[in-house]
Amino acid sequence: MRYHTSTFIGFFGGAWQATRLSTVSLLVASLFLAACGGGSNDYSSTDNDVNGVPTLTSVSIFEDEGDAAVTVGDVVTVEISASEAIMAPTVMIGGSVATPAGSGDSWTASRAMTADDTLGEITVSVAFSDIGGTDGVTVMATTDDTAVQFDIAYLEGNAIDGPFQFAKAFGDHNENGLHDEGEPSDLTDATGAYALADSVDAPAEYTVIVEMTADTIDAISGESFAGTGVVLKGSSTGSVVTPLTTILEAAKVVDPSFTAADLATAMGLPAGVDIATFNPFAAGADAATAHAVETVFQQVMTATLLVAEAMQGVAAIAGAELTPEQASAAAVSALTKMVVVTADVNLADAAQIGSLQVLVKAELALNSIVVDDAVDAAAADFVLDATSATVTSVAAAFDTLTVDDFIAGDTSAVSIVKQEAAAEIAAVSALTIAYLSDFPDATDLTDLDTSDVLTLDTEEGVNDAVVDNGGDTGSAISIEITEAFNGTTIGEGSVYTFPASAESYAGFANMNTAIYPITLAEDGVITFTGSVPSGASADVRFRFEANPYPATEPSFDTAAVTVTGTESATYSIAVPAQGANTFNSLIMYLNTRGEGVVITDITLSGTGGTGGVDTGGGTDPDGDSLYTETVYVRLN
């Protein structure tokens, strides 16, 4: 094909012939510069110096507002100068890739710090090559000694009924009740502790929300809160999230003038208790005050769980549905409205619970659950009446616990009853719905017998349940870990250490042989007081064995709990039921080498009813005393 040359081209033909070589060179250079972000006209005199290996003449790091210390959300920038024009460099700030910008021999790169970054001085690295593709030597630090420190300020607190373990705590910065991207969160430990990373864009005050997960338990009693829909709320200005802080946050909506002091007075708390900060399980907490506050926590949680279960049942009777979360929120709202107008709240008072029942119906209506049909209304009253009776009887059981019960951890048998009671209310609702299917026009349900499914609506029924849960056996037993073996040491002040030189299976044995044999017919809990003098942390676990080595089977290991900090605190480890198995050996292990851990007041409780703990003697099946040798060998 022949191309036609226009007269326009012909006019400039002479000029093209004279300058074409220099024009091609300029075009090639322009393409190279465009490929590496260049193309500006402010290059230094070194831009075309492509001979040899390129170098960086300057690398500096700074925070965008000039601060030498930064936290989550702050933007950190690295400024780069090169000996010649370079292509876009690969810049790492704090070990993560930063976005470069610039051209020629002058570049910057920036990134915002996150809660996942390593604390301390922020690292810098710059990998680069010139526009000809020649790599320079990667620079691993600033060239002018500039430095920026990264630190995270944490909002620390505890989620408490008993201590909630494996619950999700998060900071609701935008107050929408949801955990949105960028809002800090943490999973609570065995003390209910959480730590939420602060950030530069966090508001001065916000709500801390604690949601139950599939794994959430009361670390003391071991009771599960999975599927309950319970959501607790507190303020970032406080240090605990509890049933009472949840009531307080809801009360601020009902009556903005209602204060924490008003709530403390209404609930009959001891003088001086700050609802926003008091943790009954904290080291050094006054025992009598802690017991009084924990009693109220448990009673409020009892009412919340049972009323929420009843509201779901009434919704089902009306042909509707409430999720556990919706029902729990509605129960808290009804309870809050009662508390705000009641001078002296007593959840074991039938009259007060009767007024709560009226508020519950109003909350149902607010959730579009209408029970104005005569049959449905009668059925709803039947379920709510059963709930009211059960709330008062279970709440009264907490009033019977003493300070000594609280100190010894002998509250689990009663605490578990509220979960059992919620299950009974669900059963009553199901039985009521079944009854209506047989008698669809029934407005009088006095003939409906619930005695097979509802036992906790009376004092006698609650007492029987407490006995079944081990509450009358004095089942908290003292564990005396006084024997170190295979290289571990026990120092003055009950300092347990697992040295680097010890055998991998080295541990510590219980020498209180009077507790054997142990039968774990029900779920139990090991509780102890712990601290780490160095301020570091260490993991502690326990092992139950049929007998000391070698006849150890059947055996099982508990989960580990992390002991942290120099302040003494109470730690708990759930002990699952082991059926008919009996154990004549109890070992404590440290999973962390080299850290001395102070561990005192070790008890095993909640081991389940009569026969839960047989303290009849410390002998093996042949009648010989256990632990007669001083050297132990473990193969675990």
Side-chain angles (χ1 to χ4, degrees):
M1 179 179 294
R2 182 182 298 273
Y3 291 95
H4 174 71
T5 302
S6 72
T7 57
F8 177 80
I9 295 297
F11 181 81
F12 287 99
W16 163 247
Q17 293 294 331
T19 61
R20 58 183 177 181
L21 292 177
S22 60
T23 302
V24 170
S25 298
L26 287 172
L27 286 171
V28 171
S30 297
L31 289 171
F32 267 108
L33 290 173
C36 57
S40 66
N41 293 320
D42 59 350
Y43 296 147
S44 72
S45 61
T46 64
D47 284 348
N48 294 318
D49 181 12
V50 294
N51 295 321
V53 176
T55 60
L56 300 185
T57 58
S58 174
V59 176
S60 300
I61 186 172
F62 58 90
E63 193 268 336
D64 280 7
E65 296 182 2
D67 295 331
V70 300
T71 189
V72 176
D74 281 325
V75 176
V76 177
T77 297
V78 171
E79 191 172 74
I80 304 160
S81 294
S83 61
E84 61 182 87
I86 62 174
M87 291 189 285
T90 299
V91 183
M92 306 287 284
I93 300 177
S96 295
V97 175
T99 303
S103 63
D105 59 5
S106 181
W107 294 82
T108 62
S110 302
R111 65 174 288 258
M113 304 303 291
T114 73
D116 295 327
D117 284 313
T118 303
L119 301 181
E121 185 173 321
I122 300 173
T123 60
V124 175
S125 71
V126 183
F128 63 101
S129 60
D130 64 18
I131 59 176
T134 301
D135 292 336
V137 177
T138 299
V139 173
M140 301 299 294
T142 61
T143 61
D144 57 1
D145 295 327
T146 53
V148 176
Q149 296 287 326
F150 177 64
D151 195 12
I152 301 177
Y154 287 96
L155 176 69
E156 298 182 339
N158 294 80
I160 301 293
D161 175 39
F164 283 110
Q165 185 175 14
F166 305 126
K168 176 186 175 182
F170 67 90
D172 187 17
H173 288 179
N174 60 6
E175 302 292 347
N176 68 349
L178 304 174
H179 182 212
D180 297 311
E181 184 177 358
E183 292 179 332
S185 66
D186 194 20
L187 203 63
T188 57
D189 67 12
T191 66
Y194 59 81
L196 304 180
D198 207 351
S199 63
V200 293
D201 57 353
E205 182 177 348
Y206 55 87
T207 302
V208 177
I209 296 180
V210 177
E211 297 176 339
M212 305 297 109
T213 71
D215 300 316
T216 302
I217 60 170
D218 179 322
I220 298 296
S221 66
E223 59 192 286
S224 171
F225 278 78
T228 60
V230 167
V231 175
L232 301 179
K233 295 183 180 182
S235 172
S236 62
T237 60
S239 58
V240 293
V241 179
T242 71
L244 286 188
T245 63
T246 305
I247 295 293
L248 181 60
E249 291 300 306
K252 292 176 183 177
V253 178
V254 175
D255 180 0
S257 67
F258 194 78
T259 67
D262 293 333
L263 180 58
T265 300
M267 303 307 296
L269 299 184
V273 170
D274 184 348
I275 288 173
T277 61
F278 187 78
N279 179 358
F281 299 96
D286 176 74
T289 303
H291 167 61
V293 173
E294 173 64 4
T295 297
V296 174
F297 285 177
Q298 292 283 0
Q299 290 174 330
V300 171
M301 184 57 70
T302 296
T304 301
L305 287 172
L306 271 62
V307 170
E309 197 65 66
M311 294 178 88
Q312 287 181 277
V314 172
I317 289 170
E321 181 180 1
L322 284 179
T323 68
E325 290 75 17
Q326 290 171 329
S328 183
V332 168
S333 181
L335 187 59
T336 299
K337 290 172 182 176
M338 185 196 81
V339 168
V340 167
V341 299
T342 305
D344 184 11
V345 177
N346 180 3
L347 295 177
D349 183 336
Q352 289 191 20
I353 299 302
S355 68
L356 175 61
Q357 187 168 321
V358 174
L359 292 168
V360 167
K361 290 181 179 180
E363 286 298 323
L364 284 166
L366 290 174
N367 282 270
S368 301
I369 309 298
V370 180
V371 287
D372 51 3
D373 174 84
V375 173
D376 288 350
D381 283 338
F382 184 82
V383 171
L384 292 174
D385 287 344
T387 303
S388 295
T390 307
V391 169
T392 56
S393 60
V394 175
F398 285 107
D399 285 333
T400 67
L401 295 172
T402 66
V403 175
D404 289 339
D405 292 328
F406 180 78
I407 294 172
D410 291 340
T411 60
S412 297
V414 180
S415 182
I416 295 171
V417 171
K418 66 179 181 290
Q419 300 283 354
E420 297 169 338
E424 288 195 353
I425 296 303
V428 169
S429 298
L431 196 62
T432 302
I433 292 172
Y435 184 84
L436 292 179
S437 67
D438 293 333
F439 305 99
D441 298 324
T443 57
D444 182 356
L445 280 71
T446 54
D447 290 337
L448 175 53
D449 183 7
T450 61
S451 60
D452 287 341
V453 298
L454 182 62
T455 62
L456 298 173
D457 57 339
T458 65
E459 179 182 355
E460 181 181 4
V462 172
N463 288 339
D464 288 344
V466 172
V467 170
D468 289 341
N469 292 336
D472 71 335
T473 63
S475 59
I477 58 177
S478 176
I479 299 172
E480 299 175 8
I481 303 292
T482 56
E483 183 74 18
F485 61 85
N486 289 104
T488 56
T489 64
I490 303 176
E492 184 176 353
S494 299
V495 179
Y496 296 81
T497 306
F498 179 26
S501 59
E503 300 287 353
S504 61
Y505 42 77
F508 311 88
N510 165 69
M511 299 306 290
N512 178 15
T513 58
I515 71 173
Y516 299 130
I518 296 173
T519 301
L520 299 166
E522 304 286 346
D523 290 347
V525 62
I526 291 176
T527 304
F528 63 88
T529 300
S531 63
V532 181
S534 71
S537 60
D539 290 343
V540 180
R541 65 182 173 89
F542 292 83
R543 178 178 174 85
F544 290 76
E545 301 172 333
N547 296 291
Y549 180 83
T552 60
E553 297 305 319
S555 66
F556 78 95
D557 293 276
T558 69
V561 64
T562 300
V563 179
T564 304
T566 58
E567 295 295 323
S568 296
T570 300
Y571 295 87
S572 300
I573 301 177
V575 180
Q578 298 296 309
N581 293 333
T582 59
F583 304 96
N584 292 291
S585 171
L586 178 56
I587 309 295
M588 182 180 78
Y589 290 101
L590 300 180
N591 290 351
T592 308
R593 290 184 183 267
E595 286 294 343
V597 187
V598 176
I599 298 176
T600 60
D601 304 321
I602 310 172
T603 61
L604 171 62
S605 61
T607 50
T610 57
V613 175
D614 182 349
T615 59
T619 59
D620 66 16
D622 296 324
D624 297 322
S625 178
L626 296 170
Y627 291 108
T628 57
E629 300 180 11
T630 58
V631 178
Y632 300 89
V633 178
R634 299 287 170 219
L635 298 178
N636 59 329

